[in-house]
Amino acid sequence: MTAYGWRQVTQIGGLRRWCRRRHADLWTVEEVTVVSSRQRTPAQFLASIRNHWTIENQVHRPRDGSMQEDRLHGRAIGVILAVCRNVVINLIRRHLPGRYIPTARNAITTDLGIALRWMHLPLRN
């Protein structure tokens, strides 16, 4: 791997995922090469890959898909907007469990009383 300038690489693996979009019958296969600079057992290596996709599926996809982050971004205040989107997603998950985020977001925009009630709830862990 030093030929490519990757002096720190200790493990390389391949990952094959079968994906199907919601409301679609067609499955797609995606193959990814995973490169790591940490030495791990195969179980630890797989756990770290799963952990990565947990973050992707629970944080990044809702922010992009449900909150349309990629389409509605602000260059100068992008971090602040991301924090606001995270707060909204977490409030929806806590107080409207099981609701599809775009549907819940639409419910909140049509009934602002929901958001106002959330503002008066005590913070807890």
Side-chain angles (χ1 to χ4, degrees):
M1 289 291 128
T2 56
Y4 296 104
W6 297 353
R7 295 181 192 95
Q8 306 278 328
V9 173
T10 58
Q11 288 181 313
I12 298 176
L15 180 68
R16 185 176 295 142
R17 291 189 296 261
W18 285 266
C19 306
R20 183 171 61 116
R21 291 206 178 262
R22 195 180 306 204
H23 309 300
D25 294 331
L26 183 63
W27 284 81
T28 59
V29 178
E30 183 177 327
E31 293 186 4
V32 180
T33 301
V34 182
V35 180
S36 176
S37 61
R38 301 172 83 188
Q39 187 65 41
R40 301 178 187 158
T41 65
Q44 291 170 329
F45 193 58
L46 184 58
S48 68
I49 293 169
R50 285 187 177 138
N51 185 43
H52 167 80
W53 285 105
T54 298
I55 293 167
E56 177 69 27
N57 292 336
Q58 292 180 354
V59 177
H60 298 295
R61 189 182 338 155
R63 276 183 22 194
D64 182 33
S66 300
M67 305 304 277
Q68 301 176 359
E69 186 175 60
D70 286 347
R71 189 176 70 81
L72 303 171
H73 52 82
R75 297 287 180 209
I77 58 170
V79 174
I80 296 167
L81 291 174
V83 168
C84 292
R85 289 179 183 115
N86 286 344
V87 167
V88 170
I89 289 169
N90 287 323
L91 284 169
I92 289 171
R93 286 180 174 162
R94 176 174 284 183
H95 298 294
L96 300 172
R99 295 282 299 267
Y100 184 52
I101 292 174
T103 305
R105 191 187 70 221
N106 290 339
I108 294 165
T109 57
T110 57
D111 182 6
L112 292 178
I114 296 170
L116 292 173
R117 284 191 297 275
W118 288 354
M119 291 173 65
H120 295 286
L121 292 174
L123 296 176
R124 59 182 174 181
N125 293 335

